[in-house]
Amino acid sequence: MKKDIIIPKVENVYVAAIQEWNDDFMQKTWYAYLVNDSEEKLETVIVVSNASGMLNGEERRTSMLRHAFVTVEPDTAVKIEMIEDSVLQLDNSFMVTFFKGDTLYDRNYIFKAETINEDNVQEVPVIFKDGVLVK
């Protein structure tokens, strides 16, 4: 029975953290983006994010945030949320679920603790800005 279940592999869809100027805080702030680097649109996209890990010798976990997008067009990106500086020391998880045609795709993207920083930036596809990318 298990061999009959086909789990499709997610390709050309990424989550990126990009640092941008924030007028409200008057400083650079990290933002999470969902990047669709494929030739098909993503439909009924749901992103569930949270952060967890050890902080000052104590287990910490943030609330889950849920985001929904009707479609994400091919070769585009959508801003998911701001990443608060205090959670950069934790593992930041983004569970992404979407449809391509009639097929449901699901993948968990994890930024390990303290990997979202300027030392780990590379050019993000589609957006063409420097950021930290999880493939």
Side-chain angles (χ1 to χ4, degrees):
M1 295 293 262
K2 285 185 180 180
K3 65 180 178 169
D4 296 330
I5 298 173
I6 299 170
I7 300 173
K9 184 177 179 185
V10 175
E11 294 178 336
N12 300 321
V13 177
Y14 317 116
V15 174
I18 297 176
Q19 199 172 36
E20 299 174 343
W21 181 257
N22 184 320
D23 286 332
D24 294 333
F25 297 120
M26 299 301 291
Q27 68 179 18
K28 284 187 167 184
T29 307
W30 290 97
Y31 289 92
Y33 280 85
L34 177 64
V35 179
N36 181 9
D37 193 20
S38 71
E39 296 179 5
E40 296 178 68
K41 71 179 175 180
L42 312 180
E43 298 178 299
T44 317
V45 180
I46 298 172
V47 180
V48 178
S49 65
N50 71 339
S52 62
M54 296 296 286
L55 190 60
N56 298 327
E58 194 175 313
E59 183 69 27
R60 296 287 186 164
R61 178 175 294 275
T62 65
S63 300
M64 279 192 199
L65 298 176
R66 294 169 183 85
H67 309 275
F69 305 98
V70 176
T71 60
V72 179
E73 295 297 324
D75 296 317
T76 61
V78 293
K79 190 181 284 188
I80 301 170
E81 65 187 34
M82 182 182 91
I83 303 173
E84 176 68 36
D85 287 344
S86 62
V87 300
L88 296 177
Q89 301 170 25
L90 304 172
D91 293 340
N92 287 270
S93 170
F94 294 85
M95 175 60 78
V96 180
T97 306
F98 58 90
F99 281 94
K100 270 189 184 179
D102 293 332
T103 306
L104 178 68
Y105 291 82
D106 185 51
R107 173 133 183 238
N108 193 18
Y109 298 88
I110 299 174
F111 291 98
K112 294 291 184 187
E114 299 188 27
T115 58
I116 300 175
N117 61 53
E118 292 183 19
D119 295 334
N120 294 329
V121 297
Q122 61 180 319
E123 186 175 72
V124 176
V126 175
I127 301 174
F128 303 110
K129 291 182 180 178
D130 286 341
V132 180
L133 186 65
V134 176
K135 292 184 177 185

